[in-house]
Amino acid sequence: MTGGRWRDRCVAAAGLTVIWMFLWGSFTPLTFTGGLIVAVIVLIVFPLPPVTYAGRVRPYGLLKFAVRFLRDLVVASAQVALLAFRVGHVPRSAIIAVSLRCPSDMNLTLTAEALSLVPGSLIVDVDRRRGILYVHVLGVSSPEEADRFRDGVLDLEGRIIEAFGSRAERRVIEEISA
């Protein structure tokens, strides 16, 4: 096993141990030891696949992503609240397949997480091999609205790649956008 793989496992074990201690609500040597033992067992029984990250964090892209994400969060929350309190209206929904342009594991995960955190959308399935996210969307009642949502997801993917992506991923996004 490589040094990077050992480092990743140690970080995962430390994270799981901290979560264990938070769940127990006490920070004692016994809780720490018990959490560490459980973390090691979990990592042996359920080994994590290796995750490669060829990109780097770009502060300007991260700022753009964060500002737009917060805006999307506020707007979507208001839209869902309006749908919830509309009397006599049954909101329509759809499951939309979105093919990501850069379907790396990291990009799939970050896009899916950001999408699921915004009210009104939820990832129901992922085709990892083909790079497709299946998203349940609230308030979609026409093919045009579904296309707008799909374009929004691809825009989100572009912002994530701008903030965290590798040069190759950024080049793919730039070529497709041009």
Side-chain angles (χ1 to χ4, degrees):
M1 194 178 309
T2 65
R5 185 88 167 118
W6 273 107
R7 183 193 66 230
D8 293 346
R9 285 189 169 209
C10 288
V11 168
L16 288 171
T17 303
V18 169
I19 291 170
W20 178 268
M21 292 186 342
F22 276 124
L23 288 172
W24 278 99
S26 64
F27 302 96
T28 64
L30 184 60
T31 309
F32 174 79
T33 305
L36 189 60
I37 290 169
V38 169
V40 169
I41 291 170
V42 166
L43 291 173
I44 290 171
V45 174
F46 304 107
L48 297 171
V51 175
T52 56
Y53 177 62
R56 66 183 182 105
V57 177
R58 292 175 183 79
Y60 178 69
L62 181 61
L63 179 65
K64 255 174 73 172
F65 167 75
V67 167
R68 178 65 189 272
F69 178 75
L70 289 173
R71 179 186 152 275
D72 290 347
L73 200 61
V74 170
V75 169
S77 296
Q79 289 171 338
V80 169
L82 287 173
L83 277 174
F85 291 110
R86 237 166 127 183
V87 178
H89 174 72
V90 178
R92 302 202 45 176
S93 61
I95 295 179
I96 301 172
V98 182
S99 295
L100 298 183
R101 298 167 291 188
C102 296
S104 67
D105 285 344
M106 184 70 79
N107 188 40
L108 266 169
T109 302
L110 290 175
T111 303
E113 289 297 328
L115 209 51
S116 287
L117 288 173
V118 175
S121 61
L122 181 68
I123 302 298
V124 292
D125 196 12
V126 175
D127 184 340
R128 183 177 169 210
R129 189 177 49 79
R130 297 187 311 167
I132 299 174
L133 297 176
Y134 295 93
V135 189
H136 179 271
V137 186
L138 191 61
V140 172
S141 57
S142 70
E144 294 78 23
E145 289 177 346
D147 288 339
R148 272 197 304 276
F149 179 80
R150 194 174 287 111
D151 291 342
V153 173
L154 294 177
D155 186 47
L156 171 65
E157 176 198 25
R159 289 192 308 276
I160 288 172
I161 288 174
E162 188 178 338
F164 303 106
S166 67
R167 283 188 182 149
E169 289 174 331
R170 292 181 66 184
R171 206 169 322 140
V172 167
I173 297 298
E174 289 170 5
E175 289 172 3
I176 291 173
S177 299

